[in-house]
């Protein structure tokens, strides 16, 4: 979804949009079914016994299967409308609990069927599939991961070939089943011995530390299939929020022994032939091996076997689509050759042939509509088809995909919609009807499922206020909680957060939990109101006090011994002589008597002034500079960009950063313009008029000015004003359309080199650099590759020139921020490398028009230049013995395995670091982490910022799960996934995310809960949002963007995720959704957000939806006229100008809404364009894409479905 898609597109784009019909016709009413292929309103029930008579005798095993399917049969019901495929108020909110066809994994072609009916014991033992995300795997012999050429060589570890998944899997043995890759965890990560009392199982009574979802006492929940046949009589899976009382077993689940098991599987999708073992669908011919046997007694000894997600029943008996081990009539997928002894599969979209011995169902007609595999939810058996709610656009599943899109990779021929691979697949064999009809009056409250709004409110109540950092391993409040940090020896969580505050003592134990041990470091983050800035300590010529051996800096974690003459470093345990000038006596407790006067002995975060030894070439640094490099080609003149920038520069320069303890900024500025040549300007304050120098030889860029290029904006104010009036005049008639980019950035770099300063280049560029010059690029725009295995070819750079330029910039401490104003492909994947390696970022304004987007651009530049920033920085993470940092993710460059080089780092950037064990940790000791950032401040001071953190060590898994920080974990997963996309297919990346999440929750279920029915989904309290956030990350444009985005949009959001900090990531993954139709004009705080789902929308409402990149205002068509009048001065929402959104009225309500928008913009790192969406507008589909709990417009699973899928994966891992 394009952040700037809503601007005026070029004419060809408008034509394309006009061709897309907005919505398909609504489904016909029940009387008119048949021709359109809509399922009938009422389920046609076969008469009991009728099917039996007309069915040839089946083999005994199949009969057993058929008998059991009776219990999943749909129940006839009265009409109940539902919305969007998540039934009205989630009527059977857990409808997806039984999904057995995996909406997250594509189907594989059928296996050769030599072994139909082969005993399960013939299956080859599963090999651990290649899992590049199991970051707890033992470190390989490769060098430490670093960031530099991750995109250039396409393989992050510097190797030139990706590890082949095939090479780690067993070859298919004839007659044996091969597990699909990534369905099994690495064998070491999840011990399979689930025997009671098995070694390592720590059974802890379920208490505060977990969230139990149990549907036994919540009516209206469809239940999951029973566990595998080996665990006969075990209870069925439910979902509830009743956490068991400490010391008691969790409440019993539904389906006690002796009750009929519920059959596994999922209703087939309309228009698809049902698969074997599946209940008959409305409007479909049944296939052999299907249909409930009415009137037969249940067979308690033989529960139906649930199909693994996306695999046949009975466990992994073959790859997706392979026949069930004992089913006599395997089914093939469309397009595959028929299996031996099987009728040819019907052509796609054709009516399925009736199976032998089955009459068509009464009143049944073949469906005409081509199926949409993996498309949004189909009507539940026993539910009528959805009637569109008045004023709602047709929901996915009713709506024809938009014509005008090419068939997408991963979708079937003839499937018109934009699908995303990994989501489209036919129902799996063995899927049956398993939804149990809820009694209409008793519904599950959807708010019973874990949701972020509730978690944030609770955390604000329990953890808001003061957070004192005086103990190791204290779990900090959530990022979203308002709190004040009292630093008493550990660094504030605003600067550094760990994913675990209690670390397993061995690598094996960490591997068992599957949890990542990561740090998210934002060393220059802003402090909150009421907190003090880290103090600056000056040791004079003595310089900072350090450990002789490991070079750690003096901190509260150093212990003074020998009457204060030596100190012992807790990192490496070595003692060091105290410098005579630093000596002080100890008191009776062994503490120095001056402890409370020295920040480095008391606080977790502080700064040292660095001596010349810490400077480049042992020379004190110059004051840093900002250089504005402006594209003055035809495009930027025509769009009004050049005029806008030149008119606003004076205001922008008033916001340059001011250093701590100073009253005004010392930063210098310089100006360069370019088209096919580069122009430097002399703005020396003694000149009457600015001077321009042109470098025409772009092959050999040099700096023509030695003096007068970088000046202080106050001293040279008059000359700068004259220059800003002159530039638009000089280039007003330009016809230059072919521009350069590389030489312009090089010019800025040469200017900084000439004045021996570090600094930042703000580059304003509008077109792909195609002029003959270094860094010339070719147009390789092919958005059809997005979402396919080939997408990495267009997401990695087409040339290494910009990577090398980035590395040269880092050596000078020159950071590059790109402001891009593209109307067409500009190849952010390539030119963005300069920003990525130098710690900069990319801003994008597609279809920029000065009068529409001018405010947003100027606000972004002001935010950019005014925030706290350090230049020419090096960051090193030191840890106590036993653990060490191994992988680093973010915007930086590394020349070795330990030093993170940042040409600049500001308050809104963060780096994620993974830490691994290299030895056993003594459980009675803490783990100490010290981050040192050496940087040049914006006034030219060389300083060291030190961050300290102590974590606890444990031998019990339950303690680890009680001290997780989910937000830090998800940001790490997001940054890691964006890196892995450069090496692996999006499907591998997503499967690994799902697999990792399932392993984490399965480990908790196995080791930390009292033995309860496998049917319960039990989530640890700290991680109860893990399924939701994993689902959000899987749907996020950075990971899942398909061909409905442009290549540049996709590269832009990937870079955005890699640079962003924790504050930004929470709402970027789970957008903030705020109702504004019921606000009180006299309040001042932000209204409370609601869950991000269509169920929270009312037609008479107005809402803000924002994730830090996009901001939508949605207006319902029944919004009260007095509200519309008070905000926009018009009578109804249809009269609101959605293209040029503005709150025009001057009323208390209008001022309140404007204040809310200003508050949101203030919190964010970017100034977002406001997109107004009226109900039923064309743009509503874009808006709905961000309602993250709903089923995605691309067919991705809703939160409910995903939670059920996770439950299924967890049960598979446990069994």
């Amino acid at each position: 979804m394009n952040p700037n898609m809503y601007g005026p597109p070029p004419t060809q784009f408008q034509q394309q949009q006009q061709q897309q019909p907005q919505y398909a016709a609504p489904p016909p009413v029940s009387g008119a079914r048949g021709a359109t292929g809509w399922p009938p309103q009422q389920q046609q029930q076969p008469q009991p016994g009728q099917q039996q008579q007309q069915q040839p005798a089946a083999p005994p095993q199949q009969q057993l299967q058929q008998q059991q399917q009776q219990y999943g049969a749909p129940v006839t019901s009265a009409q109940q409308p539902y919305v969007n495929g998540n039934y009205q108020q989630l009527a059977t909110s857990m409808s997806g609990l039984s999904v057995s066809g995996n909406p997250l994994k594509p189907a594989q072609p059928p296996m050769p069927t030599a072994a139909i009916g082969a005993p399960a014991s013939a299956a080859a033992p599963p090999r651990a599939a290649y899992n590049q995300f199991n970051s707890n795997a033992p470190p390989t012999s490769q060098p430490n991961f670093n960031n530099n050429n991750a995109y250039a060589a396409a393989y992050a570890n510097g190797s030139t070939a990706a590890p082949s998944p095939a090479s780690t899997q067993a070859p298919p043995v004839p007659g044996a089943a091969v597990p699909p890759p990534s369905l099994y965890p690495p064998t070491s990560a999840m011990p399979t011995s689930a025997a009671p009392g098995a070694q390592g199982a720590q059974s802890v009574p379920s208490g505060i530390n977990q969230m139990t979802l149990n549907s036994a006492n919540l009516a209206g929940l469809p239940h999951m299939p029973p566990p595998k046949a080996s665990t006969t009589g075990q209870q069925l899976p439910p979902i509830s929020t009743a956490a068991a009382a400490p010391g008691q077993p969790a409440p019993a689940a539904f389906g006690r022994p002796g009750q009929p098991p519920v059959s596994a599987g999922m209703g087939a999708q309309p228009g698809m032939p049902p698969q074997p073992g599946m209940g008959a669908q409305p409007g479909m011919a049944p296939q052999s091996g299907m249909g409930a046997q009415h009137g037969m007694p249940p067979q308690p000894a033989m529960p139906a076997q649930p199909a693994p997600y996306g695999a046949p029943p009975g466990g992994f008996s073959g790859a997706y689509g392979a026949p069930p081990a004992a089913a006599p009539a395997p089914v093939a997928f469309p397009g595959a050759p028929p299996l031996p002894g099987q009728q040819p599969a019907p052509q796609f979209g054709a009516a399925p042939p009736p199976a032998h011995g089955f009459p068509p169902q009464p009143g049944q007609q073949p469906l005409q509509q081509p199926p949409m595999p993996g498309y949004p939810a189909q009507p539940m058996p026993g539910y009528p088809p959805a009637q569109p709610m008045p004023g709602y656009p047709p929901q996915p599943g009713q709506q024809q995909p938009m014509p005008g899109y090419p068939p997408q990779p991963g979708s079937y021929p003839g499937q018109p919609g934009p699908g995303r691979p990994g989501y489209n697949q036919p129902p799996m064999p063995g899927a049956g009807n398993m939804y149990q009809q809820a009694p209409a009056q008793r519904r599950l409250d959807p708010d019973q499922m874990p949701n972020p709004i509730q978690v944030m409110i609770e955390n604000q109540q329990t953890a808001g206020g003061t957070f004192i950092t005086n103990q190791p391993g204290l779990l900090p409040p959530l990022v979203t909680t308002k709190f004040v940090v009292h630093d008493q020896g550990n660094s504030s969580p605003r600067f550094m957060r760990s994913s675990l505050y209690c670390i397993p003592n061995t690598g094996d134990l960490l591997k068992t939990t599957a949890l990542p041990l990561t740090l998210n470091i934002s060393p220059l983050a802003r402090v909150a109101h009421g907190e003090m800035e880290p103090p600056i300590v000056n040791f004079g010529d003595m310089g900072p006090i350090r450990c002789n051996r490991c070079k750690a800096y003096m901190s509260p974690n150093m212990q003074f011994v020998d009457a204060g003459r030596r100190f012992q470093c807790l990192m490496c345990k070595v003692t060091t002589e105290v410098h005579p000038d630093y000596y002080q006596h100890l008191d009776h407790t062994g503490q120095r008597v001056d402890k409370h006067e020295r920040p480095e002995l008391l606080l977790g975060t502080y700064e040292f002034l660095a001596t010349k030894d810490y400077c480049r070439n042992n020379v004190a640094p110059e004051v840093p500079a900002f250089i504005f490099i402006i594209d003055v080609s035809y495009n930027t003149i025509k769009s009004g960009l050049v005029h806008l920038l030149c008119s606003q520069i004076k205001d922008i320069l008033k916001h340059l950063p001011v250093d701590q303890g100073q009253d005004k900024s010392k930063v210098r500025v310089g100006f360069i313009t370019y088209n096919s040549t580069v122009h430097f300007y002399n703005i020396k304050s003694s000149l009457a008029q600015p001077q321009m120098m042109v470098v025409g030889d772009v092959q050999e860029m040099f700096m023509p000015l030695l003096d007068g290029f970088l000046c202080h904006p106050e001293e040279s104010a008059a000359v700068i004003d004259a220059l800003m009036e002159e530039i638009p005049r000089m280039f007003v008639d330009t016809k230059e359309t072919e521009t350069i980019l590389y030489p312009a950035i090089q010019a800025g770099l040469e200017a900084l080199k000439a004045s021996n300063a570090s600094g930042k280049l703000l580059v304003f560029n509008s077109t792909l650099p195609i002029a003959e010059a270094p860094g010339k690029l070719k147009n390789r725009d092919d958005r059809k590759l997005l979402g396919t295995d080939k997408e990495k070819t267009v997401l990695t750079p087409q040339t290494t020139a910009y990577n090398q330029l980035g590395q040269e910039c880092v050596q000078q401490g020159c950071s590059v921020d790109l402001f891009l104003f593209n109307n067409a492909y500009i190849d952010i994947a390539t030119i963005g490398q300069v920003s990525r390696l130098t710690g900069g970022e990319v801003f994008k304004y597609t279809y920029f028009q000065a009068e529409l987007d001018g405010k947003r651009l100027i606000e972004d530049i002001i935010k950019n230049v005014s925030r706290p920033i350090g230049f020419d920085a090096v960051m090193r993470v030191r840890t106590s013995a036993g653990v060490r940092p191994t992988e680093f993710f973010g915007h930086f460059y590394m020349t070795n395995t330990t030093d993170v080089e940042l040409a600049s780092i500001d308050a809104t950037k963060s780096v994620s670091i993974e830490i691994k064990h290299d030895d056993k940790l003594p459980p009675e000791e803490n783990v100490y982490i010290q981050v040192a950032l050496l940087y040049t401040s914006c006034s030219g001071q060389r300083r060291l910022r030190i961050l300290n953190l102590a974590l606890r060590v444990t031998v019990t898994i339950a303690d680890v799960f009680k001290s997780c920080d989910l937000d830090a974990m998800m940001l790490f997963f997001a940054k890691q996934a964006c890196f892995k996309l450069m090496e692996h297919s999006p499907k591998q990346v997503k499967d690994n995310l799902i697999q990792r999440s399932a392993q984490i929750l399965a480990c908790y279920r196995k080791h930390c809960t009292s033995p309860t029915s496998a049917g319960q989904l039990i989530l640890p309290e700290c991680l109860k949002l893990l399924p939701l956030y994993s689902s959000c990350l899987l749907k996020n444009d950075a990971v899942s963007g398909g061909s409905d985005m442009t290549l540049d949009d996709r590269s832009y959001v990937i870079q955005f995720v890699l640079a962003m900090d924790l504050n930004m990531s929470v709402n970027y993954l789970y957008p903030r959704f705020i109702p504004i139709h019921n606000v009180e004009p006299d309040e001042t705080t932000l209204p409370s957000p609601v869950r991000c789902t269509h169920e929270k929308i009312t037609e008479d409402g107005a809402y803000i939806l924002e994730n830090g990149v996009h901001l939508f205002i949605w207006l319902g068509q029944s919004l009260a006229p007095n509200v519309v009048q008070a905000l926009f001065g018009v009578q109804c929402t249809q009269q609101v100008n959605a293209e040029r959104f503005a709150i025009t009225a001057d009323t208390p309500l209008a001022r309140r809404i404007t204040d809310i928008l200003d508050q949101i913009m203030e919190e964010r790192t970017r100034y977002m364009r406001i997109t107004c969406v009226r109900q039923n507008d064309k743009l509503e589909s874009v808006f709905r894409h961000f309602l993250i709990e709903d089923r995605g417009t691309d067919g991705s699973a809703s939160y409910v479905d995903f939670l059920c899928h996770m439950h299924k994966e967890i049960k598979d891992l446990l069994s």
Side-chain angles (χ1 to χ4, degrees):
M1 295 294 162
N2 181 341
N4 306 304
M5 179 169 129
Y6 323 114
T11 46
Q12 77 270 16
F13 191 79
Q14 287 171 334
Q15 288 159 5
Q16 184 186 342
Q17 278 188 337
Q18 285 156 10
Q19 292 160 6
Q20 298 169 359
Q22 198 175 344
Y23 303 112
V29 291
S30 59
R33 72 169 175 271
T36 56
W38 285 90
Q41 295 289 73
Q42 299 250 209
Q43 285 286 341
Q44 299 287 341
Q45 282 293 355
Q47 292 301 314
Q50 178 184 358
Q51 260 175 310
Q52 254 171 282
Q53 298 157 11
Q54 299 178 350
Q55 182 177 330
Q61 189 166 355
Q62 192 179 344
Q63 282 178 354
L64 275 172
Q65 276 184 348
Q66 292 163 354
Q67 290 155 10
Q68 287 146 3
Q69 271 158 1
Q70 171 179 355
Y71 309 106
V75 183
T76 312
S77 86
Q79 295 188 10
Q80 295 171 342
Y82 67 93
V83 185
N84 192 13
N86 292 348
Y87 319 105
Q88 182 120 20
Q89 301 180 339
L90 248 67
T92 46
S93 153
M94 294 307 174
S95 60
L97 265 173
S98 47
V99 177
S100 143
N102 179 352
L104 306 162
K105 296 180 184 170
Q108 308 291 325
M111 297 269 293
T113 54
I116 294 177
S121 57
R127 293 278 301 263
Y130 170 64
N131 180 356
Q132 76 270 20
F133 274 15
N134 181 16
S135 49
N136 296 322
T140 59
S141 59
Q142 288 174 327
N144 277 19
F145 184 99
N146 81 33
N147 196 25
N148 312 337
N149 295 311
Y151 294 73
Y155 300 110
N157 287 333
S159 61
T160 47
S164 149
S167 64
T168 59
Q169 271 176 264
V173 183
V178 181
S182 93
L183 270 170
Y184 280 101
T187 40
S188 59
M190 178 56 60
T192 48
S193 60
Q199 184 265 335
Q202 297 152 2
S203 189
V204 182
S206 20
I208 184 70
N209 185 36
Q210 68 190 33
M211 151 128 201
T212 311
L213 291 170
N214 167 25
S215 58
N217 34 22
L218 287 163
L221 273 188
H223 295 287
M224 297 281 285
K228 302 253 189 297
S230 58
T231 52
T232 307
Q234 220 172 358
Q235 297 164 316
L236 293 181
I239 183 162
S240 122
T241 40
Q248 292 181 3
F254 184 84
R256 294 163 193 71
Q259 287 196 345
V262 181
S263 83
M266 172 178 80
Q269 312 189 349
M272 309 219 26
Q275 309 299 334
M278 181 170 74
Q281 294 296 310
M284 276 206 248
Q287 304 268 318
S288 59
M290 174 181 82
Q293 302 261 337
H294 289 262
M296 298 276 291
Q299 305 282 329
M302 180 101 182
Q305 305 194 356
Y309 225 70
F316 300 109
S317 61
Y320 304 112
V331 75
F333 291 124
L339 301 175
Q342 185 193 11
Q343 297 179 358
Q347 281 309 302
F348 200 71
H356 300 292
F358 275 80
Q361 298 280 317
Q364 178 183 341
Q365 294 190 4
L367 291 171
Q368 313 280 317
Q369 181 186 355
M372 296 190 257
Y375 244 61
Q378 312 305 341
M380 278 184 49
Y383 271 65
Q387 304 298 338
M389 291 273 286
Y392 267 92
Q395 302 309 328
Q398 305 167 351
Q399 171 179 344
Q400 300 285 351
M402 294 190 266
Y405 276 99
Q408 300 313 320
S411 61
Y412 284 96
Q415 177 194 344
R420 295 192 186 173
Y423 286 79
N424 297 335
Q425 75 288 321
M428 295 301 160
N433 287 327
M434 88 130 258
Y435 299 116
Q436 297 231 341
Q437 178 78 46
Q441 72 283 8
R442 298 173 67 194
R443 294 174 184 274
L444 173 74
D445 176 8
D447 292 321
Q448 291 285 317
M449 291 166 58
N451 72 77
I453 311 301
Q454 192 58 40
V455 169
M456 288 171 194
I457 291 170
E458 286 169 6
N459 193 266
Q460 182 66 60
Q461 290 164 353
T462 57
T466 306
F467 177 62
I468 301 174
T469 68
N470 56 359
Q471 293 171 36
L474 283 181
L475 187 64
L478 293 180
V479 185
T480 47
T481 299
K482 289 186 170 60
F483 62 98
V484 175
V485 177
H486 277 196
D487 186 340
Q488 293 191 6
N490 284 297
S491 202
S492 159
R494 302 190 205 285
F495 300 122
M496 172 159 61
R497 269 184 194 258
S498 172
S499 61
L500 304 177
Y501 282 83
C502 193
I503 300 177
N505 70 322
T506 65
D508 288 343
L509 197 60
L510 182 63
K511 201 181 297 179
T512 301
T513 65
L515 291 163
L517 173 52
T518 73
L519 293 176
N520 193 71
I521 303 168
S522 194
L524 295 183
R526 285 190 169 98
V527 296
H529 183 67
E531 296 175 6
M532 64 170 194
E533 288 282 349
I536 301 173
V537 180
N538 186 355
F539 284 128
D541 294 340
M542 177 170 64
I545 309 290
R546 304 178 71 173
C547 165
N548 270 350
R549 178 162 178 249
C550 68
K551 301 295 182 214
Y553 293 87
M554 178 54 67
S555 76
N557 301 324
M558 301 289 189
Q559 286 179 345
F560 287 86
V561 292
D562 192 11
R565 286 188 285 273
R566 304 174 70 81
F567 65 87
Q568 184 184 27
C569 168
L570 285 189
M571 297 275 181
C572 65
K573 301 290 193 287
V574 169
T575 57
T576 302
E577 289 266 346
V578 172
H579 191 286
D581 296 350
Y582 192 64
Y583 172 76
Q584 186 55 270
H585 296 287
L586 306 186
D587 63 13
H588 65 285
T589 61
Q591 303 285 339
R592 282 175 57 124
V593 293
D594 64 349
K595 174 178 175 175
H596 291 278
E597 296 151 31
R598 291 199 173 269
E600 74 276 14
L601 301 179
L602 196 63
L603 301 179
T605 309
Y606 43 87
E607 296 201 333
F608 293 131
L609 274 188
T611 54
K612 288 190 176 151
D613 305 340
Y614 294 86
C615 302
R616 256 184 218 283
N617 309 323
N618 293 344
V619 177
E622 295 289 327
V623 176
F626 283 5
I627 300 178
F628 294 83
I629 302 179
I630 304 168
D631 171 355
V632 287
S633 63
Y634 175 73
N635 273 353
T636 52
I637 297 290
K638 191 185 69 172
S639 68
L641 169 67
V642 174
H643 291 75
L644 174 77
L645 273 177
C646 292
S647 66
Q648 297 290 327
I649 280 287
K650 193 170 181 177
D651 190 38
I652 290 168
L653 296 182
K654 289 177 186 161
H655 293 87
L656 293 177
V658 180
D659 202 1
Q660 192 174 333
Q662 305 205 330
D663 50 355
K664 62 180 190 181
S665 177
K666 291 187 173 181
V667 175
R668 296 172 297 166
V669 295
F671 298 92
I672 293 174
T673 56
Y674 69 97
N675 38 37
S676 57
T677 55
V678 178
H679 327 121
F680 294 81
Y681 296 92
N682 185 343
I683 51 169
K684 199 169 184 181
S685 55
S686 55
L687 294 174
Q689 273 293 8
Q691 295 172 346
M692 172 180 177
M693 299 199 178
V694 179
V695 176
D697 179 9
V698 292
Q699 300 294 334
E700 292 290 328
M701 184 48 60
F702 66 96
M703 175 68 191
L705 269 170
L706 283 177
D707 189 26
F709 177 73
L710 291 181
C711 293
H712 196 275
E714 274 188 19
E715 293 165 12
S716 300
V719 190
I720 292 174
D721 288 350
L723 174 64
M724 291 305 133
E725 285 170 21
E726 197 55 43
I727 288 175
R729 269 208 294 276
M730 278 192 293
F731 297 103
V732 69
D733 295 323
T734 182
K735 294 288 178 278
E736 293 265 13
T737 52
E738 291 199 354
T739 63
I740 57 177
L741 175 61
Y742 182 104
I745 298 173
Q746 214 175 8
L749 171 62
E750 292 298 327
L752 288 175
K753 274 186 185 167
S755 56
N756 194 23
S758 54
K760 178 191 276 195
L761 313 181
L762 291 90
V763 182
F764 300 85
N765 178 53
S766 67
T767 46
L768 189 72
I770 51 172
E772 279 306 325
K776 175 183 175 180
L777 299 177
K778 60 180 192 293
N779 188 334
R780 51 171 188 165
D781 189 11
D782 185 2
R783 64 158 76 175
K784 291 198 291 295
L785 295 177
L786 287 183
T788 70
D789 291 356
K790 292 201 180 95
E791 73 171 18
K792 53 179 171 283
T793 58
V794 286
L795 293 180
T796 47
Q798 56 172 289
T799 163
T800 58
Y802 289 90
N803 293 59
Q804 284 153 4
L805 179 59
Q807 290 168 25
E808 285 172 38
C809 288
V810 174
Q811 301 313 314
Q812 182 56 38
C814 162
S815 173
V816 182
D817 281 354
L818 290 174
F819 292 78
L820 303 177
F821 306 85
N822 58 321
N823 295 334
Y825 180 64
I826 199 168
D827 202 355
I828 292 176
T830 303
I831 62 177
Q833 296 306 312
V834 184
S835 294
R836 183 178 71 82
L837 291 167
T838 60
E841 59 188 312
V842 175
F843 295 77
K844 184 162 76 64
Y845 309 83
T846 308
Y847 309 130
F848 177 85
Q849 284 183 305
E851 64 275 20
L852 279 180
D853 303 299
K855 177 170 191 211
R856 181 161 67 107
L857 169 65
I858 301 305
E859 291 284 347
D860 276 347
I861 299 173
I862 289 174
K863 273 179 187 278
N864 185 317
V865 300
S866 62
R867 61 195 172 195
I869 186 167
F871 297 96
D872 196 10
V874 182
M875 183 171 81
R876 180 176 281 199
V877 180
R878 293 180 173 86
T879 55
S880 50
V883 293
R884 64 189 169 87
T886 55
E887 293 196 55
F888 300 78
F889 301 101
H891 276 195
F892 53 80
Y893 176 62
M894 292 183 81
T895 46
N896 55 31
T897 57
T898 54
D899 294 340
V900 176
E901 297 189 32
L902 300 141
S904 80
I905 173 119
D906 61 60
T908 64
K909 304 274 192 314
S910 76
V911 175
S912 285
I913 296 179
E914 179 160 31
I915 291 178
K916 292 196 175 159
H917 288 70
D918 47 16
D919 203 353
K920 207 169 173 180
L921 301 171
E924 66 283 357
E925 292 185 15
N926 297 328
V927 164
Y928 296 99
I929 292 163
Q930 187 178 78
V931 177
L933 178 79
L934 174 65
Y935 70 101
T936 303
S937 76
C938 56
S939 64
Q941 264 189 345
R942 197 72 175 151
R943 294 191 205 145
L944 281 152
R945 178 166 288 202
I946 312 296
L947 313 175
N948 296 289
L949 184 63
L951 305 173
R952 288 179 300 127
V953 178
T954 182
V955 292
T956 59
I957 290 179
D959 287 347
V960 181
F961 277 100
K962 282 179 188 156
S963 66
C964 301
D965 189 313
L966 180 59
D967 295 325
M969 210 177 286
M970 290 315 299
L971 181 55
F972 168 75
F973 282 147
K975 292 192 178 202
Q976 187 187 46
C978 288
F979 253 85
K980 300 292 185 190
L981 284 167
M982 303 302 144
E983 312 160 47
H984 304 287
S985 74
K987 179 182 182 306
Q988 278 176 306
V989 172
K990 288 185 208 168
D991 285 353
N992 273 294
L993 271 168
I994 297 168
Q995 186 65 16
R996 183 82 182 259
S997 305
Q999 281 177 1
I1000 290 169
L1001 296 176
C1003 171
Y1004 178 78
R1005 183 79 173 78
K1006 179 175 174 184
H1007 295 285
C1008 307
T1009 61
S1010 42
T1012 52
S1013 117
Q1016 287 177 311
L1017 174 58
I1018 302 181
L1019 303 171
E1021 185 59 31
C1022 284
L1023 300 180
K1024 64 182 174 189
L1025 295 176
L1026 177 63
L1028 173 60
Y1029 282 170
S1030 299
S1031 159
C1032 294
L1033 180 52
L1034 289 167
K1035 290 182 178 186
N1036 193 287
D1037 287 338
V1039 175
S1040 264
S1043 49
D1044 50 356
M1045 299 178 82
T1046 65
L1047 294 185
D1048 286 331
D1049 290 333
R1050 181 73 188 282
S1051 295
Y1052 169 78
V1053 290
I1054 286 174
Q1055 288 227 350
F1056 185 77
V1057 169
L1058 282 174
M1060 75 184 172
D1061 66 351
L1062 213 51
N1063 294 338
M1064 185 69 242
S1065 70
V1066 176
N1067 287 120
Y1068 185 62
L1069 284 180
Y1070 188 92
R1072 195 156 51 166
F1073 193 39
I1074 302 175
I1076 52 171
H1077 50 278
N1078 48 10
V1079 296
E1080 293 296 328
D1082 48 357
E1083 287 177 357
T1084 53
T1085 54
L1086 277 182
S1088 298
V1090 295
R1091 283 177 49 220
C1092 200
T1093 164
H1094 72 279
E1095 289 164 6
K1096 296 292 177 191
I1097 296 179
T1098 58
E1099 277 193 22
D1100 58 354
Y1103 301 84
I1104 292 174
L1105 176 73
E1106 65 91 18
N1107 69 354
V1109 181
H1110 315 274
L1111 190 149
F1112 297 94
I1113 293 185
W1114 185 90
L1115 304 173
Q1117 60 185 19
S1118 310
L1119 184 59
N1122 58 336
V1123 174
V1124 181
Q1125 183 73 44
L1127 288 179
F1128 308 106
V1130 294
Q1131 297 303 313
C1132 67
T1133 53
Q1134 294 312 311
Q1135 294 172 315
V1136 175
N1137 183 348
E1139 278 66 46
R1140 299 199 169 202
F1141 175 82
I1143 294 174
T1144 47
D1146 185 23
T1147 60
L1149 181 64
R1151 286 192 290 273
R1152 169 80 172 119
I1153 301 298
T1154 307
D1155 285 348
I1156 290 172
L1157 289 169
D1158 290 346
Q1159 255 179 290
I1160 290 173
M1161 298 293 188
E1162 183 65 29
E1163 288 175 15
R1164 297 287 172 239
T1165 57
R1166 311 278 168 110
Y1167 194 92
M1168 296 167 278
R1169 172 189 260 173
I1170 298 174
T1171 305
C1172 180
V1173 180
R1174 294 173 303 213
Q1175 190 172 349
N1176 298 341
D1177 272 1
K1178 275 201 188 104
L1179 278 177
E1180 199 172 36
S1181 63
V1182 181
F1183 166 78
R1184 294 183 96 77
H1185 171 76
F1186 293 101
L1187 292 176
I1188 205 81
E1189 287 193 32
D1190 296 343
R1191 184 177 268 277
T1193 44
D1194 54 11
S1196 50
S1198 66
Y1199 175 29
V1200 176
D1201 293 344
F1202 187 79
L1203 194 63
C1204 306
H1205 171 48
M1206 288 302 290
H1207 189 189
K1208 180 86 189 55
E1209 294 270 313
I1210 292 164
K1211 290 205 315 179
D1212 288 346
L1213 288 171
L1214 291 175
S1215 57

